[in-house]
């Protein structure tokens, strides 16, 4: 079994419900959820003229390879109605692989650890809640250290404990 850290996010059609639905589908199709952060709200990153996002970090124990996990995640996104129209635009669900064991992968369509993780407070805040001492496999710094030095100015608000 492998350990993957994922980030789910939504800003459309009752985002909290969408994140909860993604949680259930991941549990059903991708492996066993070992831990989960609370829900966090933040303004959109990138294209800022859209509704705030709700995000949640998930620690998943999975038998799937990184590529198979990505395929599973993309299928879940499609099942939930995700349409990729505008990069960084509004979305019903987004599921990113942040970390997968301590692996470093750079393949077409699959980069692990997530290349923008150190620059995204909205990903680091929930991730630190469940994996603060986990080391970034390239930077060799803990997630807590990355959060402490993150220059992303967007405020991130914890809105629930689960």
């Amino acid at each position: 079994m492998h350990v993957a850290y994922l980030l789910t996010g939504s800003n459309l059609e009752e985002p909290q419900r969408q994140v909860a639905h993604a949680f259930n589908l991941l549990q059903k199709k991708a492996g066993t959820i070992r831990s989960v952060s609370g829900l966090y709200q933040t303004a959109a990153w990138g294209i800022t003229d859209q509704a705030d996002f709700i995000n949640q970090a998930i620690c998943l124990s999975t038998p799937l390879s990184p590529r198979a996990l990505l395929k599973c995640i993309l299928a879940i996104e499609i099942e939930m109605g995700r349409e990729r129209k505008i990069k960084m635009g509004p979305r019903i669900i987004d599921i990113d692989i942040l970390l997968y064991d301590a692996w470093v992968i750079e393949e077409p369509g699959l980069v692990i650890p997530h290349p923008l993780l150190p620059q995204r407070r909205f990903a680091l805040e929930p991730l630190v809640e469940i994996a603060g001492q986990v080391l970034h496999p390239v930077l060799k710094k803990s997630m807590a250290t990355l959060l402490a030095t993150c220059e992303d100015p967007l405020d991130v608000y914890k809105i629930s404990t689960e």
Side-chain angles (χ1 to χ4, degrees):
M1 291 296 254
H2 300 279
V3 176
Y5 290 93
L6 311 177
L7 185 73
T8 59
S10 175
N11 72 339
L12 293 175
E13 299 180 28
E14 299 179 58
Q16 290 184 28
R17 186 173 60 80
Q18 300 303 336
V19 167
H21 186 52
F23 173 94
N24 290 331
L25 289 173
L26 286 164
Q27 175 101 344
K28 181 179 177 184
K29 299 179 180 208
T32 303
I33 301 217
R34 295 173 54 174
S35 59
V36 61
S37 75
L39 296 175
Y40 290 78
Q41 180 175 345
T42 188
W45 194 92
I47 298 175
T48 58
D49 186 23
Q50 59 182 307
D52 287 358
F53 275 82
I54 301 298
N55 292 295
Q56 185 173 55
I58 295 172
C59 177
L60 179 74
S61 181
T62 182
L64 301 175
S65 70
R67 182 64 66 182
L69 179 59
L70 177 62
K71 184 177 179 181
C72 178
I73 285 168
L74 293 174
I76 288 170
E77 289 180 344
I78 290 169
E79 179 179 339
M80 290 184 64
R82 168 110 189 236
E83 295 178 358
R84 295 178 185 270
K85 294 180 180 178
I86 302 170
K87 186 176 175 98
M88 292 192 211
R91 46 204 173 272
I92 197 161
I93 194 65
D94 185 38
I95 306 171
D96 289 330
I97 302 172
L98 301 177
L99 302 164
Y100 183 98
D101 290 336
W103 294 17
V104 177
I105 301 170
E106 292 187 35
E107 299 174 358
L110 180 62
V111 178
I112 298 173
H114 192 289
L116 296 177
L117 176 59
Q119 300 158 18
R120 292 181 166 175
R121 185 173 303 281
F122 70 86
L124 287 168
E125 288 270 357
L127 185 57
V128 165
E129 182 181 330
I130 62 170
Q133 298 310 311
V134 171
L135 292 181
H136 189 286
V138 175
L139 302 176
K140 306 300 185 200
K141 295 179 181 179
S142 72
M143 294 301 123
T145 299
L146 290 178
L147 176 59
T149 58
C150 182
E151 295 181 6
D152 181 356
L154 291 181
D155 290 325
V156 178
Y157 302 99
K158 187 171 184 179
I159 60 172
S160 81
T161 57
E162 286 183 18

